[in-house]
Amino acid sequence: MRNYDQNRALVTGGAGFLGSHLCERLLEQGSYVTCLDNLFTGTKRNIDHLLSNPYFDFIQHDVTNPIHIQADEIYNLACPASPVHYQHDPIHTTKTCVLGALNVLGLAKRVNARVLHASTSEVYGDPLVHPQVESYWGHVNPNGTRACYDEGKRCAETFFFDYHRQHNIPIKIPRIFNTYGPRMHPNDGRVVSNFIVQALRDEPITIYGDGSQTRAFCYVDDLIEGFIKLMQTPDSFTGPVNLGNPEEFTIKQLALRILELTGSKSDLVFEPLPADDPRQRRPDITLAQSVLDWHPVVQLDAGLRSTITYFSDLLGLPAACVTPIPDKVAIQPSQAAQGF
Ligand SMILES: NC(=O)c1ccc[n+]([C@@H]2O[C@H](COP(=O)([O-])OP(=O)(O)OC[C@H]3O[C@@H](n4cnc5c(N)ncnc54)[C@H](O)[C@@H]3O)[C@@H](O)[C@H]2O)c1
């Protein structure tokens, strides 16, 4: 039975990787959750376990079309997030970012909802400032093959801030850095899922470039905690605010660790870097720490283990292939990457 005092949350992109974890978390905290998704990269499998919950609804809908439902708070996550997927139909990706933002903001204005928009570290492009701070305006190629996503997300931020200034809509803009965990798409070409799937299948692990480029990896539970804290901030706080893990690792370090944890026999193979691939990526999370009292707590090894377990189940492999490794030899962030 629906309690009409209950918080009504709308999660666009709710059947995707991050969205499904967010739906779960919102249900746990007592919200009535509507998950809206066109199932382009998301899947009903991610929300199967929620479908029988009386406080959960699923609507198949594309955010490029207007949305007419009731909500007190909106989390706008709808958008393919990996290059393989967002470059599949780049025109629709830009439409999803831009028209999706417009439709979500139109809804927020009509129903008087607070709205959080999943922005991205890609708005910084191939950054000339390291680590990236929110005040950095970025270094983005406006007409390259990644622009449908990078510029789409930048334009979405513009819409959010103009709706906030012009119509007083309460907005929250997290800029998400590389996040991983169970329910990532196995074929999305993102580095963590790619390496794990290749390692579990004993296939060669593909490293683009020489593997010395760095990334920082945030576990999904940490990120979702950041979303919840951000939505609870006063209306005067809009962001943008970086959410990600500041511990930086080289891509080669990540590959070697996944090989160890899976006990895989895979070889490393090196291929040319794709166009506009950033060399370094690390969030400065000072703002999130001070305003949200948030910082990631899940260590890379722990996050990798649960992600490996998820993928071995998905691929029908024995769970035993996750090798236990004592904490004292846990992977350490790249010293080179930290400038030592
Ligand atoms: N995971 C990360 O590391 C990361 C980093 C930066 C930003 N983000 C942002 O977070 C959000 C979620 O990313 P994710 O990693 O969960 O990706 P994902 O691909 O798993 O989830 C995206 C979801 O949006 C849905 N979707 C796509 N286009 C849509 C449309 N036009 N209408 C309705 N639904 C649509 C997909 O079906 C999918 O369920 C995205 O907006 C992404 O840009 C994620």
mmCIF file of all heavy atoms in Angstrom, residues 12-19 36-43 46 61-64 76-82 85 92 96 118-121 149 153 175-180 183 185 190 227, ligand 1:
data_model
loop_
_atom_site.group_PDB
_atom_site.id
_atom_site.type_symbol
_atom_site.label_atom_id
_atom_site.label_comp_id
_atom_site.label_asym_id
_atom_site.label_seq_id
_atom_site.Cartn_x
_atom_site.Cartn_y
_atom_site.Cartn_z
ATOM 1 N N THR A 12 16.135 8.216 -13.647
ATOM 2 C CA THR A 12 16.238 7.924 -15.082
ATOM 3 C C THR A 12 17.549 7.149 -15.286
ATOM 4 O O THR A 12 18.545 7.414 -14.612
ATOM 5 C CB THR A 12 16.219 9.191 -15.953
ATOM 6 O OG1 THR A 12 17.497 9.823 -15.883
ATOM 7 C CG2 THR A 12 15.119 10.167 -15.539
ATOM 8 N N GLY A 13 17.506 6.182 -16.200
ATOM 9 C CA GLY A 13 18.674 5.305 -16.352
ATOM 10 C C GLY A 13 18.765 4.317 -15.194
ATOM 11 O O GLY A 13 19.836 3.773 -14.911
ATOM 12 N N GLY A 14 17.628 4.055 -14.549
ATOM 13 C CA GLY A 14 17.608 3.243 -13.323
ATOM 14 C C GLY A 14 17.868 1.764 -13.537
ATOM 15 O O GLY A 14 18.122 1.043 -12.573
ATOM 16 N N ALA A 15 17.805 1.292 -14.793
ATOM 17 C CA ALA A 15 18.093 -0.128 -15.040
ATOM 18 C C ALA A 15 19.554 -0.340 -15.434
ATOM 19 O O ALA A 15 19.952 -1.433 -15.808
ATOM 20 C CB ALA A 15 17.164 -0.671 -16.130
ATOM 21 N N GLY A 16 20.341 0.727 -15.366
ATOM 22 C CA GLY A 16 21.762 0.621 -15.703
ATOM 23 C C GLY A 16 22.591 0.236 -14.488
ATOM 24 O O GLY A 16 22.056 -0.105 -13.421
ATOM 25 N N PHE A 17 23.884 0.310 -14.661
ATOM 26 C CA PHE A 17 24.828 -0.068 -13.605
ATOM 27 C C PHE A 17 24.618 0.794 -12.353
ATOM 28 O O PHE A 17 24.186 0.308 -11.300
ATOM 29 C CB PHE A 17 26.243 0.033 -14.184
ATOM 30 C CG PHE A 17 27.350 0.165 -13.194
ATOM 31 C CD1 PHE A 17 27.437 -0.683 -12.091
ATOM 32 C CD2 PHE A 17 28.339 1.125 -13.368
ATOM 33 C CE1 PHE A 17 28.483 -0.560 -11.177
ATOM 34 C CE2 PHE A 17 29.383 1.249 -12.464
ATOM 35 C CZ PHE A 17 29.449 0.419 -11.358
ATOM 36 N N LEU A 18 24.881 2.087 -12.447
ATOM 37 C CA LEU A 18 24.752 2.942 -11.255
ATOM 38 C C LEU A 18 23.293 3.073 -10.830
ATOM 39 O O LEU A 18 22.971 3.052 -9.639
ATOM 40 C CB LEU A 18 25.314 4.345 -11.549
ATOM 41 C CG LEU A 18 26.804 4.443 -11.884
ATOM 42 C CD1 LEU A 18 27.204 5.895 -12.146
ATOM 43 C CD2 LEU A 18 27.640 3.865 -10.738
ATOM 44 N N GLY A 19 22.406 3.220 -11.835
ATOM 45 C CA GLY A 19 20.993 3.477 -11.546
ATOM 46 C C GLY A 19 20.367 2.363 -10.717
ATOM 47 O O GLY A 19 19.583 2.625 -9.795
ATOM 48 N N LEU A 36 13.027 4.776 -14.642
ATOM 49 C CA LEU A 36 12.654 5.048 -16.036
ATOM 50 C C LEU A 36 13.876 4.765 -16.898
ATOM 51 O O LEU A 36 14.967 5.269 -16.607
ATOM 52 C CB LEU A 36 12.207 6.507 -16.129
ATOM 53 C CG LEU A 36 11.758 7.055 -17.481
ATOM 54 C CD1 LEU A 36 10.733 8.157 -17.287
ATOM 55 C CD2 LEU A 36 12.944 7.582 -18.281
ATOM 56 N N ASP A 37 13.701 3.968 -17.941
ATOM 57 C CA ASP A 37 14.866 3.559 -18.728
ATOM 58 C C ASP A 37 14.396 3.104 -20.105
ATOM 59 O O ASP A 37 13.319 2.513 -20.222
ATOM 60 C CB ASP A 37 15.588 2.400 -17.999
ATOM 61 C CG ASP A 37 17.043 2.261 -18.398
ATOM 62 O OD1 ASP A 37 17.310 1.991 -19.575
ATOM 63 O OD2 ASP A 37 17.904 2.440 -17.526
ATOM 64 N N ASN A 38 15.207 3.354 -21.125
ATOM 65 C CA ASN A 38 14.843 2.835 -22.459
ATOM 66 C C ASN A 38 15.518 1.488 -22.740
ATOM 67 O O ASN A 38 15.392 0.954 -23.834
ATOM 68 C CB ASN A 38 15.185 3.852 -23.568
ATOM 69 C CG ASN A 38 16.678 4.002 -23.788
ATOM 70 O OD1 ASN A 38 17.486 3.466 -23.014
ATOM 71 N ND2 ASN A 38 17.064 4.728 -24.814
ATOM 72 N N LEU A 39 16.272 0.980 -21.751
ATOM 73 C CA LEU A 39 16.953 -0.335 -21.833
ATOM 74 C C LEU A 39 17.958 -0.414 -22.976
ATOM 75 O O LEU A 39 18.191 -1.480 -23.533
ATOM 76 C CB LEU A 39 15.926 -1.480 -21.922
ATOM 77 C CG LEU A 39 14.958 -1.577 -20.743
ATOM 78 C CD1 LEU A 39 14.001 -2.747 -20.914
ATOM 79 C CD2 LEU A 39 15.705 -1.725 -19.418
ATOM 80 N N PHE A 40 18.563 0.732 -23.325
ATOM 81 C CA PHE A 40 19.602 0.700 -24.366
ATOM 82 C C PHE A 40 20.836 -0.039 -23.842
ATOM 83 O O PHE A 40 21.273 -1.034 -24.421
ATOM 84 C CB PHE A 40 19.937 2.122 -24.831
ATOM 85 C CG PHE A 40 21.147 2.185 -25.728
ATOM 86 C CD1 PHE A 40 21.337 1.245 -26.738
ATOM 87 C CD2 PHE A 40 22.116 3.171 -25.563
ATOM 88 C CE1 PHE A 40 22.464 1.278 -27.562
ATOM 89 C CE2 PHE A 40 23.240 3.212 -26.381
ATOM 90 C CZ PHE A 40 23.414 2.264 -27.382
ATOM 91 N N THR A 41 21.415 0.436 -22.747
ATOM 92 C CA THR A 41 22.552 -0.278 -22.148
ATOM 93 C C THR A 41 22.163 -0.929 -20.828
ATOM 94 O O THR A 41 22.899 -1.759 -20.305
ATOM 95 C CB THR A 41 23.741 0.667 -21.892
ATOM 96 O OG1 THR A 41 23.259 1.806 -21.152
ATOM 97 C CG2 THR A 41 24.362 1.134 -23.181
ATOM 98 N N GLY A 42 21.024 -0.534 -20.283
ATOM 99 C CA GLY A 42 20.549 -1.150 -19.048
ATOM 100 C C GLY A 42 19.772 -2.416 -19.370
ATOM 101 O O GLY A 42 19.463 -2.696 -20.532
ATOM 102 N N THR A 43 19.453 -3.175 -18.334
ATOM 103 C CA THR A 43 18.721 -4.421 -18.548
ATOM 104 C C THR A 43 17.795 -4.686 -17.369
ATOM 105 O O THR A 43 18.124 -4.321 -16.225
ATOM 106 C CB THR A 43 19.695 -5.617 -18.748
ATOM 107 O OG1 THR A 43 19.014 -6.828 -18.435
ATOM 108 C CG2 THR A 43 20.915 -5.527 -17.869
ATOM 109 N N ASN A 46 19.086 -6.219 -14.113
ATOM 110 C CA ASN A 46 19.636 -5.404 -13.020
ATOM 111 C C ASN A 46 18.597 -5.027 -11.970
ATOM 112 O O ASN A 46 18.952 -4.684 -10.842
ATOM 113 C CB ASN A 46 20.252 -4.111 -13.577
ATOM 114 C CG ASN A 46 21.544 -4.361 -14.329
ATOM 115 O OD1 ASN A 46 22.157 -5.409 -14.137
ATOM 116 N ND2 ASN A 46 21.948 -3.424 -15.166
ATOM 117 N N HIS A 61 10.909 4.085 -21.206
ATOM 118 C CA HIS A 61 10.680 5.405 -21.802
ATOM 119 C C HIS A 61 12.040 5.985 -22.170
ATOM 120 O O HIS A 61 13.038 5.722 -21.500
ATOM 121 C CB HIS A 61 9.984 6.297 -20.756
ATOM 122 C CG HIS A 61 9.645 7.671 -21.245
ATOM 123 N ND1 HIS A 61 8.463 7.958 -21.893
ATOM 124 C CD2 HIS A 61 10.328 8.842 -21.181
ATOM 125 C CE1 HIS A 61 8.427 9.251 -22.202
ATOM 126 N NE2 HIS A 61 9.561 9.815 -21.779
ATOM 127 N N ASP A 62 12.057 6.794 -23.219
ATOM 128 C CA ASP A 62 13.292 7.457 -23.639
ATOM 129 C C ASP A 62 13.251 8.912 -23.168
ATOM 130 O O ASP A 62 12.266 9.614 -23.429
ATOM 131 C CB ASP A 62 13.399 7.366 -25.180
ATOM 132 C CG ASP A 62 14.789 7.720 -25.662
ATOM 133 O OD1 ASP A 62 15.254 8.842 -25.370
ATOM 134 O OD2 ASP A 62 15.422 6.867 -26.304
ATOM 135 N N VAL A 63 14.329 9.356 -22.495
ATOM 136 C CA VAL A 63 14.304 10.717 -21.917
ATOM 137 C C VAL A 63 14.329 11.820 -22.976
ATOM 138 O O VAL A 63 14.162 12.989 -22.646
ATOM 139 C CB VAL A 63 15.461 10.972 -20.916
ATOM 140 C CG1 VAL A 63 15.284 10.186 -19.647
ATOM 141 C CG2 VAL A 63 16.827 10.740 -21.546
ATOM 142 N N THR A 64 14.549 11.449 -24.238
ATOM 143 C CA THR A 64 14.484 12.482 -25.275
ATOM 144 C C THR A 64 13.026 12.888 -25.532
ATOM 145 O O THR A 64 12.766 13.859 -26.237
ATOM 146 C CB THR A 64 15.142 12.009 -26.589
ATOM 147 O OG1 THR A 64 14.473 10.830 -27.035
ATOM 148 C CG2 THR A 64 16.619 11.715 -26.398
ATOM 149 N N ASN A 76 18.906 12.113 -12.532
ATOM 150 C CA ASN A 76 18.965 11.946 -13.992
ATOM 151 C C ASN A 76 20.269 11.246 -14.392
ATOM 152 O O ASN A 76 21.311 11.877 -14.548
ATOM 153 C CB ASN A 76 18.876 13.302 -14.688
ATOM 154 C CG ASN A 76 18.853 13.141 -16.197
ATOM 155 O OD1 ASN A 76 18.275 12.183 -16.716
ATOM 156 N ND2 ASN A 76 19.486 14.061 -16.913
ATOM 157 N N LEU A 77 20.167 9.926 -14.560
ATOM 158 C CA LEU A 77 21.356 9.128 -14.902
ATOM 159 C C LEU A 77 21.286 8.597 -16.326
ATOM 160 O O LEU A 77 22.219 7.929 -16.779
ATOM 161 C CB LEU A 77 21.481 7.939 -13.931
ATOM 162 C CG LEU A 77 22.243 8.166 -12.621
ATOM 163 C CD1 LEU A 77 21.617 9.233 -11.764
ATOM 164 C CD2 LEU A 77 22.319 6.864 -11.822
ATOM 165 N N ALA A 78 20.166 8.819 -17.012
ATOM 166 C CA ALA A 78 19.986 8.194 -18.333
ATOM 167 C C ALA A 78 21.019 8.723 -19.317
ATOM 168 O O ALA A 78 21.030 9.915 -19.624
ATOM 169 C CB ALA A 78 18.581 8.473 -18.854
ATOM 170 N N CYS A 79 21.869 7.858 -19.774
ATOM 171 C CA CYS A 79 22.856 8.178 -20.815
ATOM 172 C C CYS A 79 23.822 6.999 -20.916
ATOM 173 O O CYS A 79 24.290 6.515 -19.878
ATOM 174 C CB CYS A 79 23.660 9.430 -20.437
ATOM 175 S SG CYS A 79 24.765 9.948 -21.758
ATOM 176 N N PRO A 80 24.120 6.530 -22.118
ATOM 177 C CA PRO A 80 25.160 5.502 -22.205
ATOM 178 C C PRO A 80 26.476 6.101 -21.730
ATOM 179 O O PRO A 80 26.794 7.249 -22.054
ATOM 180 C CB PRO A 80 25.203 5.157 -23.698
ATOM 181 C CG PRO A 80 24.523 6.280 -24.399
ATOM 182 C CD PRO A 80 23.608 6.944 -23.418
ATOM 183 N N ALA A 81 27.257 5.317 -20.950
ATOM 184 C CA ALA A 81 28.413 5.910 -20.281
ATOM 185 C C ALA A 81 29.753 5.456 -20.843
ATOM 186 O O ALA A 81 30.778 6.058 -20.547
ATOM 187 C CB ALA A 81 28.348 5.587 -18.790
ATOM 188 N N SER A 82 29.762 4.394 -21.633
ATOM 189 C CA SER A 82 31.067 3.918 -22.111
ATOM 190 C C SER A 82 31.224 4.318 -23.582
ATOM 191 O O SER A 82 30.234 4.387 -24.324
ATOM 192 C CB SER A 82 31.152 2.405 -21.980
ATOM 193 O OG SER A 82 30.403 1.795 -23.007
ATOM 194 N N HIS A 85 29.415 2.341 -26.267
ATOM 195 C CA HIS A 85 27.967 2.553 -26.335
ATOM 196 C C HIS A 85 27.610 3.971 -26.759
ATOM 197 O O HIS A 85 26.703 4.146 -27.554
ATOM 198 C CB HIS A 85 27.325 2.218 -24.979
ATOM 199 C CG HIS A 85 27.341 0.750 -24.694
ATOM 200 N ND1 HIS A 85 27.563 0.224 -23.443
ATOM 201 C CD2 HIS A 85 27.184 -0.320 -25.516
ATOM 202 C CE1 HIS A 85 27.524 -1.101 -23.506
ATOM 203 N NE2 HIS A 85 27.312 -1.444 -24.742
ATOM 204 N N HIS A 92 22.140 10.297 -31.141
ATOM 205 C CA HIS A 92 21.179 10.023 -30.061
ATOM 206 C C HIS A 92 21.824 10.271 -28.693
ATOM 207 O O HIS A 92 21.129 10.653 -27.745
ATOM 208 C CB HIS A 92 20.615 8.605 -30.155
ATOM 209 C CG HIS A 92 19.359 8.449 -29.346
ATOM 210 N ND1 HIS A 92 18.160 9.030 -29.720
ATOM 211 C CD2 HIS A 92 19.127 7.852 -28.149
ATOM 212 C CE1 HIS A 92 17.250 8.765 -28.804
ATOM 213 N NE2 HIS A 92 17.808 8.055 -27.826
ATOM 214 N N THR A 96 20.263 12.542 -25.969
ATOM 215 C CA THR A 96 19.964 12.035 -24.618
ATOM 216 C C THR A 96 20.492 13.005 -23.566
ATOM 217 O O THR A 96 19.807 13.331 -22.596
ATOM 218 C CB THR A 96 20.589 10.632 -24.423
ATOM 219 O OG1 THR A 96 19.952 9.748 -25.333
ATOM 220 C CG2 THR A 96 20.428 10.115 -23.017
ATOM 221 N N ALA A 118 23.653 13.423 -13.298
ATOM 222 C CA ALA A 118 24.933 12.714 -13.330
ATOM 223 C C ALA A 118 25.822 13.313 -14.413
ATOM 224 O O ALA A 118 25.714 12.963 -15.579
ATOM 225 C CB ALA A 118 24.692 11.227 -13.596
ATOM 226 N N SER A 119 26.696 14.238 -13.996
ATOM 227 C CA SER A 119 27.686 14.748 -14.938
ATOM 228 C C SER A 119 28.936 13.868 -14.834
ATOM 229 O O SER A 119 28.898 12.805 -14.205
ATOM 230 C CB SER A 119 27.991 16.223 -14.662
ATOM 231 O OG SER A 119 28.759 16.752 -15.722
ATOM 232 N N THR A 120 30.011 14.292 -15.432
ATOM 233 C CA THR A 120 31.140 13.368 -15.581
ATOM 234 C C THR A 120 32.477 14.103 -15.576
ATOM 235 O O THR A 120 32.558 15.277 -15.967
ATOM 236 C CB THR A 120 30.980 12.590 -16.910
ATOM 237 O OG1 THR A 120 32.197 11.913 -17.189
ATOM 238 C CG2 THR A 120 30.674 13.501 -18.085
ATOM 239 N N SER A 121 33.504 13.365 -15.218
ATOM 240 C CA SER A 121 34.866 13.905 -15.315
ATOM 241 C C SER A 121 35.229 14.202 -16.772
ATOM 242 O O SER A 121 36.176 14.944 -17.027
ATOM 243 C CB SER A 121 35.853 12.891 -14.749
ATOM 244 O OG SER A 121 35.731 11.661 -15.429
ATOM 245 N N TYR A 149 29.402 12.843 -26.207
ATOM 246 C CA TYR A 149 29.231 12.623 -24.767
ATOM 247 C C TYR A 149 29.774 13.816 -23.979
ATOM 248 O O TYR A 149 29.057 14.426 -23.184
ATOM 249 C CB TYR A 149 29.965 11.338 -24.386
ATOM 250 C CG TYR A 149 29.830 10.919 -22.945
ATOM 251 C CD1 TYR A 149 28.649 10.355 -22.470
ATOM 252 C CD2 TYR A 149 30.896 11.051 -22.051
ATOM 253 C CE1 TYR A 149 28.528 9.934 -21.145
ATOM 254 C CE2 TYR A 149 30.781 10.631 -20.732
ATOM 255 C CZ TYR A 149 29.599 10.070 -20.286
ATOM 256 O OH TYR A 149 29.486 9.663 -18.968
ATOM 257 N N LYS A 153 27.335 16.399 -22.220
ATOM 258 C CA LYS A 153 27.291 16.545 -20.758
ATOM 259 C C LYS A 153 27.577 17.988 -20.347
ATOM 260 O O LYS A 153 27.041 18.479 -19.351
ATOM 261 C CB LYS A 153 28.299 15.596 -20.104
ATOM 262 C CG LYS A 153 27.917 14.125 -20.191
ATOM 263 C CD LYS A 153 26.861 13.761 -19.158
ATOM 264 C CE LYS A 153 26.619 12.257 -19.103
ATOM 265 N NZ LYS A 153 25.589 11.878 -18.116
ATOM 266 N N ARG A 175 30.085 15.483 -10.540
ATOM 267 C CA ARG A 175 30.918 15.095 -11.690
ATOM 268 C C ARG A 175 31.569 13.769 -11.310
ATOM 269 O O ARG A 175 32.450 13.732 -10.445
ATOM 270 C CB ARG A 175 31.969 16.159 -11.989
ATOM 271 C CG ARG A 175 31.359 17.382 -12.643
ATOM 272 C CD ARG A 175 32.412 18.370 -13.050
ATOM 273 N NE ARG A 175 31.812 19.532 -13.693
ATOM 274 C CZ ARG A 175 32.348 20.743 -13.701
ATOM 275 N NH1 ARG A 175 33.507 20.958 -13.113
ATOM 276 N NH2 ARG A 175 31.736 21.731 -14.320
ATOM 277 N N ILE A 176 31.092 12.706 -11.951
ATOM 278 C CA ILE A 176 31.482 11.350 -11.555
ATOM 279 C C ILE A 176 32.770 10.959 -12.261
ATOM 280 O O ILE A 176 32.900 11.121 -13.472
ATOM 281 C CB ILE A 176 30.371 10.353 -11.945
ATOM 282 C CG1 ILE A 176 29.030 10.795 -11.364
ATOM 283 C CG2 ILE A 176 30.719 8.943 -11.506
ATOM 284 C CD1 ILE A 176 27.838 10.112 -12.025
ATOM 285 N N PHE A 177 33.700 10.423 -11.482
ATOM 286 C CA PHE A 177 34.930 9.846 -12.034
ATOM 287 C C PHE A 177 34.763 8.328 -12.047
ATOM 288 O O PHE A 177 34.044 7.764 -11.224
ATOM 289 C CB PHE A 177 36.142 10.243 -11.182
ATOM 290 C CG PHE A 177 36.597 11.666 -11.392
ATOM 291 C CD1 PHE A 177 35.796 12.735 -11.023
ATOM 292 C CD2 PHE A 177 37.825 11.935 -11.975
ATOM 293 C CE1 PHE A 177 36.203 14.044 -11.223
ATOM 294 C CE2 PHE A 177 38.246 13.238 -12.185
ATOM 295 C CZ PHE A 177 37.434 14.297 -11.807
ATOM 296 N N ASN A 178 35.467 7.699 -12.996
ATOM 297 C CA ASN A 178 35.508 6.251 -13.186
ATOM 298 C C ASN A 178 34.978 5.421 -12.004
ATOM 299 O O ASN A 178 35.661 5.280 -10.991
ATOM 300 C CB ASN A 178 36.979 5.892 -13.384
ATOM 301 C CG ASN A 178 37.121 4.949 -14.526
ATOM 302 O OD1 ASN A 178 36.230 4.149 -14.768
ATOM 303 N ND2 ASN A 178 38.238 5.046 -15.232
ATOM 304 N N THR A 179 33.805 4.866 -12.147
ATOM 305 C CA THR A 179 33.217 4.053 -11.077
ATOM 306 C C THR A 179 32.998 2.640 -11.602
ATOM 307 O O THR A 179 32.663 2.458 -12.768
ATOM 308 C CB THR A 179 31.901 4.692 -10.606
ATOM 309 O OG1 THR A 179 32.189 6.017 -10.163
ATOM 310 C CG2 THR A 179 31.273 3.921 -9.463
ATOM 311 N N TYR A 180 33.212 1.648 -10.738
ATOM 312 C CA TYR A 180 33.116 0.258 -11.172
ATOM 313 C C TYR A 180 32.382 -0.548 -10.115
ATOM 314 O O TYR A 180 32.187 -0.087 -8.978
ATOM 315 C CB TYR A 180 34.534 -0.330 -11.395
ATOM 316 C CG TYR A 180 35.277 -0.541 -10.092
ATOM 317 C CD1 TYR A 180 35.338 -1.789 -9.496
ATOM 318 C CD2 TYR A 180 35.855 0.542 -9.430
ATOM 319 C CE1 TYR A 180 35.976 -1.970 -8.283
ATOM 320 C CE2 TYR A 180 36.493 0.360 -8.213
ATOM 321 C CZ TYR A 180 36.545 -0.895 -7.645
ATOM 322 O OH TYR A 180 37.153 -1.064 -6.440
ATOM 323 N N ARG A 183 27.271 -5.366 -11.891
ATOM 324 C CA ARG A 183 26.236 -4.891 -12.831
ATOM 325 C C ARG A 183 26.781 -3.948 -13.898
ATOM 326 O O ARG A 183 26.010 -3.350 -14.646
ATOM 327 C CB ARG A 183 25.042 -4.233 -12.136
ATOM 328 C CG ARG A 183 24.393 -5.152 -11.158
ATOM 329 C CD ARG A 183 22.964 -4.696 -10.838
ATOM 330 N NE ARG A 183 22.579 -5.317 -9.598
ATOM 331 C CZ ARG A 183 22.210 -4.645 -8.508
ATOM 332 N NH1 ARG A 183 22.099 -3.337 -8.534
ATOM 333 N NH2 ARG A 183 21.911 -5.295 -7.421
ATOM 334 N N HIS A 185 28.161 -3.416 -17.507
ATOM 335 C CA HIS A 185 27.878 -4.191 -18.717
ATOM 336 C C HIS A 185 29.144 -4.960 -19.114
ATOM 337 O O HIS A 185 30.222 -4.369 -19.181
ATOM 338 C CB HIS A 185 27.469 -3.215 -19.831
ATOM 339 C CG HIS A 185 26.788 -3.872 -20.970
ATOM 340 N ND1 HIS A 185 27.440 -4.754 -21.797
ATOM 341 C CD2 HIS A 185 25.520 -3.789 -21.421
ATOM 342 C CE1 HIS A 185 26.586 -5.183 -22.709
ATOM 343 N NE2 HIS A 185 25.415 -4.616 -22.509
ATOM 344 N N ARG A 190 34.696 -0.704 -20.923
ATOM 345 C CA ARG A 190 35.338 0.067 -19.849
ATOM 346 C C ARG A 190 36.434 -0.785 -19.230
ATOM 347 O O ARG A 190 36.344 -2.016 -19.196
ATOM 348 C CB ARG A 190 34.306 0.515 -18.818
ATOM 349 C CG ARG A 190 33.480 1.668 -19.373
ATOM 350 C CD ARG A 190 32.650 2.334 -18.325
ATOM 351 N NE ARG A 190 31.301 1.827 -18.285
ATOM 352 C CZ ARG A 190 30.331 2.365 -17.555
ATOM 353 N NH1 ARG A 190 30.567 3.417 -16.805
ATOM 354 N NH2 ARG A 190 29.115 1.853 -17.564
ATOM 355 N N PHE A 227 25.950 10.375 -3.800
ATOM 356 C CA PHE A 227 24.694 10.890 -4.395
ATOM 357 C C PHE A 227 23.678 11.228 -3.297
ATOM 358 O O PHE A 227 23.029 12.259 -3.328
ATOM 359 C CB PHE A 227 24.035 9.823 -5.281
ATOM 360 C CG PHE A 227 24.607 9.675 -6.669
ATOM 361 C CD1 PHE A 227 25.681 10.422 -7.104
ATOM 362 C CD2 PHE A 227 24.040 8.772 -7.564
ATOM 363 C CE1 PHE A 227 26.192 10.265 -8.381
ATOM 364 C CE2 PHE A 227 24.535 8.610 -8.849
ATOM 365 C CZ PHE A 227 25.612 9.357 -9.257
HETATM 366 N N1 LIG B 1 30.085 4.642 -14.313
HETATM 367 C C1 LIG B 1 30.888 5.664 -14.437
HETATM 368 O O1 LIG B 1 32.098 5.518 -14.227
HETATM 369 C C2 LIG B 1 30.385 7.022 -14.823
HETATM 370 C C3 LIG B 1 31.316 8.075 -14.883
HETATM 371 C C4 LIG B 1 30.870 9.336 -15.230
HETATM 372 C C5 LIG B 1 29.520 9.571 -15.452
HETATM 373 N N2 LIG B 1 28.638 8.534 -15.375
HETATM 374 C C6 LIG B 1 27.234 8.846 -15.665
HETATM 375 O O2 LIG B 1 26.378 8.116 -14.799
HETATM 376 C C7 LIG B 1 25.201 7.741 -15.509
HETATM 377 C C8 LIG B 1 24.992 6.233 -15.382
HETATM 378 O O3 LIG B 1 26.115 5.563 -15.924
HETATM 379 P P1 LIG B 1 26.301 3.973 -15.823
HETATM 380 O O4 LIG B 1 27.734 3.727 -15.637
HETATM 381 O O5 LIG B 1 25.335 3.423 -14.882
HETATM 382 O O6 LIG B 1 25.952 3.555 -17.322
HETATM 383 P P2 LIG B 1 24.873 2.532 -17.877
HETATM 384 O O7 LIG B 1 25.019 2.518 -19.355
HETATM 385 O O8 LIG B 1 24.933 1.244 -17.150
HETATM 386 O O9 LIG B 1 23.506 3.227 -17.464
HETATM 387 C C9 LIG B 1 22.861 4.192 -18.263
HETATM 388 C C10 LIG B 1 21.385 3.851 -18.276
HETATM 389 O O10 LIG B 1 20.689 4.860 -19.033
HETATM 390 C C11 LIG B 1 19.788 4.219 -19.933
HETATM 391 N N3 LIG B 1 19.611 5.121 -21.072
HETATM 392 C C12 LIG B 1 20.508 5.475 -22.014
HETATM 393 N N4 LIG B 1 19.965 6.345 -22.890
HETATM 394 C C13 LIG B 1 18.679 6.555 -22.462
HETATM 395 C C14 LIG B 1 17.616 7.338 -22.953
HETATM 396 N N5 LIG B 1 17.741 8.091 -24.054
HETATM 397 N N6 LIG B 1 16.432 7.302 -22.283
HETATM 398 C C15 LIG B 1 16.273 6.524 -21.170
HETATM 399 N N7 LIG B 1 17.260 5.746 -20.672
HETATM 400 C C16 LIG B 1 18.451 5.774 -21.311
HETATM 401 C C17 LIG B 1 20.482 2.915 -20.301
HETATM 402 O O11 LIG B 1 19.602 1.939 -20.816
HETATM 403 C C18 LIG B 1 21.103 2.509 -18.974
HETATM 404 O O12 LIG B 1 20.210 1.763 -18.188
HETATM 405 C C19 LIG B 1 25.377 8.211 -16.945
HETATM 406 O O13 LIG B 1 24.702 9.426 -17.102
HETATM 407 C C20 LIG B 1 26.851 8.417 -17.071
HETATM 408 O O14 LIG B 1 27.163 9.417 -18.009
HETATM 409 C C21 LIG B 1 29.034 7.270 -15.073
#
